Amino acid sequence: MAQTSSAGFAVIAKPVGSRCNMNCRYCYYLDKGQFSSHAKQTRMSYALLEKLIRQTIEGNPGPTVSFVWHGGEPTLAGLDFYRQAVALQKKYLPKGWEAWNNLQTNGLLISRQWAEFLKDNRFDVGLSIDGDALTHDRNRVDRGGQGSYARVSRAIGTLQAAGVQPDLLCTVNAETVRRPLEVYQALRSFDTGWVQFIPVVVRRSDGSVDPISVTPEGYGAFLCAVFDQWLRHDLGRLDVQLFAETARVWAGGVPSVCYLAPSCGRVLVAEEDGSVYACDHFVDSEHRLGNLQSGRLAAYAASESQLRFGHAKQSALTAECRRCPWLACCGGSCPKDRFGLSEDGEPGQYYLCRGLKQFFAHADGPMHRVMELSRQGKTPEQIMQQL
């Protein structure tokens, strides 16, 4: 156990649980309040916040300790909550260590005061925006059903004015997949330098896939279209997470994000009531590990149940996955979406597998050519011209 624990873990903290000031039509988290021990979700108490920070620091080998502030909408906790979080990190961090903080937000509450705080305390910021106004406002609506694109766009500008370049998180759903170039060009126009495309797969209670989800074919076509545009125009200017991770693997490295890695289970979730869960996508009674009030994060991360959960990502691969030439790139992808049938009829195949295969096959030759030219000392501009 101690040896496993020394690998460290990260924490996704949900300071207001699933509470949010938006009502996105594909959100997977809004109903998670049903698992809270509180009759009504509130804000994580300062006593629990102190336990969270102290235990995360004590359970990691350092010198960098990771905290992701998530939701729901984490800015609903208020600025004073994060001022206290930073103060507690400084209190418990050993000399020479640092905290890496990442705030994932919808942007509606981002003000100049917020932006200056995030800049001063070196927070990374992930901001959700689904491309252009037409596409974004179909799904990302506020509690009154109104579109949010104009307000989110202003939030990006507010952050940039304070010196914070947010990572843009764009979902790939039934709407965005129809307009890949318009979505991509809208995102690149913000000039933030980083974009993540997150596929939306929503299952109904009867096991069917909700029409708001992206199809495997649509996902593959979207990725290929965006890749071609990026390759021709944006090398060295904009990084796209999946493209960067694929290049990392093809250069001999390993994925740095959980859904592409061979195993998972090293990113715990701490809810507003102190409950600890195995993963952000598995907040339910079955995957509840315990509570900060009565247990320790390091013990939960190293528990037999959590180790089994993390290892199952690899041990439960289908035969199709095991023989796939692209397995090193995707690791079988996220277990939450492994409900499809393989080409052999075996259950447990990643639902969007065909789309990922299409992208990897499409990007293989061009990406390796980019890497070869880069090793030769070519600049991104020279590479784009040569391609």
Side-chain angles (χ1 to χ4, degrees):
M1 291 296 185
Q3 185 176 3
T4 304
S5 179
S6 68
F9 58 88
V11 175
I12 296 179
K14 308 271 189 173
V16 296
S18 62
R19 289 196 295 126
C20 193
N21 51 0
M22 288 182 65
N23 191 25
C24 299
R25 294 192 169 98
Y26 47 67
C27 185
Y28 68 94
Y29 213 82
L30 286 177
D31 66 347
K32 296 300 183 181
Q34 65 181 298
F35 299 107
S36 175
S37 60
H38 294 154
K40 183 178 180 180
Q41 287 186 309
T42 57
R43 188 190 71 184
M44 180 181 286
S45 69
Y46 283 145
L48 276 177
L49 175 64
E50 184 163 9
K51 286 179 181 290
L52 169 72
I53 289 173
R54 182 173 185 175
Q55 289 186 23
T56 303
I57 292 171
E58 290 177 348
N60 274 280
T64 300
V65 184
S66 297
F67 298 88
V68 178
W69 306 96
H70 209 285
E73 174 48 41
T75 57
L76 290 173
L79 257 178
D80 284 344
F81 179 87
Y82 293 96
R83 292 190 179 104
Q84 180 70 4
V86 170
L88 288 168
Q89 288 169 350
K90 291 177 179 176
K91 175 181 177 180
Y92 289 111
L93 282 169
K95 185 177 181 180
W97 287 30
E98 64 177 358
W100 176 78
N101 288 292
N102 180 285
L103 180 77
Q104 299 288 322
T105 179
N106 60 35
L108 295 194
L109 294 181
I110 295 297
S111 61
R112 186 175 67 178
Q113 188 179 22
W114 263 104
E116 290 174 350
F117 168 83
L118 295 168
K119 171 63 176 178
D120 291 344
N121 292 282
R122 298 185 299 152
F123 274 60
D124 283 351
V125 178
L127 190 142
S128 296
I129 182 168
D130 279 357
D132 61 339
L134 176 65
T135 311
H136 177 101
D137 282 344
R138 289 187 184 276
N139 289 312
R140 297 194 64 80
V141 296
D142 62 21
R143 303 298 290 183
Q146 299 300 306
S148 60
Y149 184 83
R151 285 170 284 176
V152 176
S153 298
R154 285 196 297 272
I156 295 173
T158 299
L159 288 166
Q160 290 176 319
V164 177
Q165 286 287 17
D167 299 340
L168 302 184
L169 281 61
C170 175
T171 68
V172 186
N173 57 66
E175 294 294 337
T176 49
V177 78
R178 295 174 183 170
R179 308 173 71 245
L181 297 186
E182 292 87 349
V183 165
Y184 177 70
Q185 288 164 359
L187 294 170
R188 74 189 292 272
S189 70
F190 289 107
D191 202 25
T192 63
W194 185 263
V195 172
Q196 296 181 37
F197 289 111
I198 304 169
V200 168
V201 178
V202 177
R203 295 185 77 190
R204 293 168 164 171
S205 57
D206 63 2
S208 63
V209 177
D210 193 286
I212 204 169
S213 308
V214 63
T215 64
E217 297 77 13
Y219 187 46
F222 179 93
L223 291 175
C224 290
V226 170
F227 177 80
D228 289 345
Q229 190 75 3
W230 170 80
L231 192 67
R232 295 188 188 107
H233 303 288
D234 294 320
L235 281 180
R237 173 187 174 183
L238 176 67
D239 281 326
V240 178
Q241 185 188 58
L242 180 59
F243 304 167
E245 291 293 322
T246 302
R248 179 198 296 269
V249 172
W250 286 341
V254 295
S256 65
V257 293
C258 62
Y259 75 98
L260 299 174
S263 61
C264 56
R266 307 305 300 178
V267 184
L268 304 179
V269 169
E271 271 282 350
E272 52 84 32
D273 67 343
S275 294
V276 180
Y277 294 90
C279 169
D280 182 52
H281 290 289
F282 291 87
V283 172
D284 53 41
S285 300
E286 180 183 353
H287 294 91
R288 185 179 183 275
L289 300 172
N291 194 288
L292 286 167
Q293 298 277 25
S294 55
R296 300 190 65 80
L297 287 169
Y300 294 138
S303 66
E304 291 295 337
S305 61
Q306 186 67 355
L307 294 178
R308 283 195 302 270
F309 171 82
H311 183 63
K313 186 174 189 227
Q314 188 174 75
S315 63
L317 289 172
T318 64
E320 179 182 349
C321 274
R322 293 181 189 280
R323 65 175 178 260
C324 179
W326 315 118
L327 177 59
C329 298
C330 78
S333 207
C334 186
K336 83 176 181 69
D337 293 329
R338 289 188 184 178
F339 56 84
L341 291 177
S342 74
E343 58 191 16
D344 308 314
E346 183 181 0
Q349 189 73 17
Y350 178 54
Y351 173 68
L352 298 175
C353 175
R354 292 195 305 278
L356 276 183
K357 284 183 175 180
Q358 180 184 350
F359 164 69
F360 292 137
H362 181 81
D364 186 13
M367 187 75 85
H368 278 93
R369 181 62 175 153
V370 168
M371 293 161 62
E372 178 187 348
L373 292 171
S374 180
R375 286 192 295 267
Q376 294 174 11
K378 304 289 186 183
T379 66
E381 292 76 16
Q382 291 172 328
I383 294 173
M384 285 188 288
Q385 289 174 2
Q386 194 155 339
L387 291 174

